[in-house]
Amino acid sequence: DSGVTQTPKHLITATGQRVTLRCSPRSGDLSVYWYQQSLDQGLQFLIQYYNGEERAKGNILERFSAQQFPDLHSELNLSSLELGDSALYFCASSVGTVRNTEAFFGQGTRLTVV
Amino acid sequence: GDSVTQMEGPVTLSEEAFLTINCTYTATGYPSLFWYVQYPGEGLQLLLKATKADDKGSNKGFEATYRKETTSFHLEKGSVQVSDSAVYFCASGSSNTGKLIFGQGTTLQVKP
């Protein structure tokens, strides 16, 4: 158990809908990272937050947004869902930046868009 | 921008064979380098890391050396086991950008 909790584990929804994925980082970790893992794209970095502020942005679509709350949990919002958004979404957390600390990953949320 | 390139898989080996999975990176500055492993149905777990040039990370018989001159961080193990079958990801962590960037992953299958 990495200490990073993601909910829900599985999500099935229809095209055009909006969903929210939740991540609770390890106790004491200030950084949260979101990744999308699909069969053809590998593990794509979406966005990183550090202590409530956006720190780095990757290949995140405009239909997607995220935030980190004062209690340090984070949510990833996916809207106007398309079939191609079906993937495994991972959250990771670390104490600080990745320069000197490792990131711990949650079990992921498997999103299926039908 | 920063990127990580791994050798394509799948890699299929017999038990007790020697393993090498190649990884090269491009980055501004001096990133930390990591190898993560993903077993079926699970999240990624850190296998080993190195934070500066010439550092060697090691864990569970796996090792990798941070080579600044060749911008590489190849993963090696002297004798693989069936239980090592998994997907291995090389990653680069930049202090400048805050990003943790992964390679595309290499599937390892070890046969008895």
Side-chain angles (χ1 to χ4, degrees), chain A residues 6-85:
Chain A
Q6 290 188 248
T7 56
K9 286 189 170 45
H10 302 276
L11 198 49
I12 301 175
T13 189
T15 54
Q17 295 298 304
R18 173 190 168 94
V19 297
T20 297
L21 312 184
R22 183 188 169 100
C23 171
S24 294
R26 291 189 323 150
S27 177
D29 284 0
L30 299 178
S31 280
V32 169
Y33 311 80
W34 285 98
Y35 290 86
Q36 180 191 57
Q37 186 179 36
S38 56
L39 284 174
D40 57 347
Q41 292 284 323
L43 202 64
Q44 296 291 312
F45 170 71
L46 296 179
I47 198 164
Q48 181 208 356
Y49 282 84
Y50 179 79
N51 203 21
E53 296 194 1
E54 183 183 304
R55 176 71 195 274
K57 216 166 186 176
N59 301 320
I60 187 166
L61 299 173
E62 286 190 9
R63 300 184 286 108
F64 295 1
S65 65
Q67 55 184 327
Q68 186 179 28
F69 295 86
D71 67 353
L72 301 177
H73 92 271
S74 179
E75 293 181 355
L76 179 67
N77 300 296
L78 315 176
S79 61
S80 303
L81 285 167
E82 302 175 358
L83 296 178
D85 297 327

Side-chain angles (χ1 to χ4, degrees), chain A residues 2 33 35 37 41-43 45 48 55-58 88 90 92 97-108, chain B residues 30-32 34 36 38 41-44 46 49 51-52 89 92-104:
Chain A
S2 68
Y33 311 80
Y35 290 86
Q37 186 179 36
Q41 292 284 323
L43 202 64
F45 170 71
Q48 181 208 356
R55 176 71 195 274
K57 216 166 186 176
L88 199 51
F90 283 108
T97 68
V98 290
R99 180 64 183 90
N100 293 311
T101 61
E102 64 184 85
F104 293 84
F105 279 76
Q107 296 288 305
Chain B
Y30 302 101
S32 290
F34 307 85
Y36 280 81
Q38 185 180 30
E42 298 185 12
L44 279 72
L46 180 69
K49 68 178 182 181
T51 58
K52 61 183 187 296
F89 291 90
S92 164
S94 169
S95 60
N96 295 334
T97 65
K99 293 181 182 180
L100 180 59
I101 302 297
F102 285 83
Q104 63 268 44

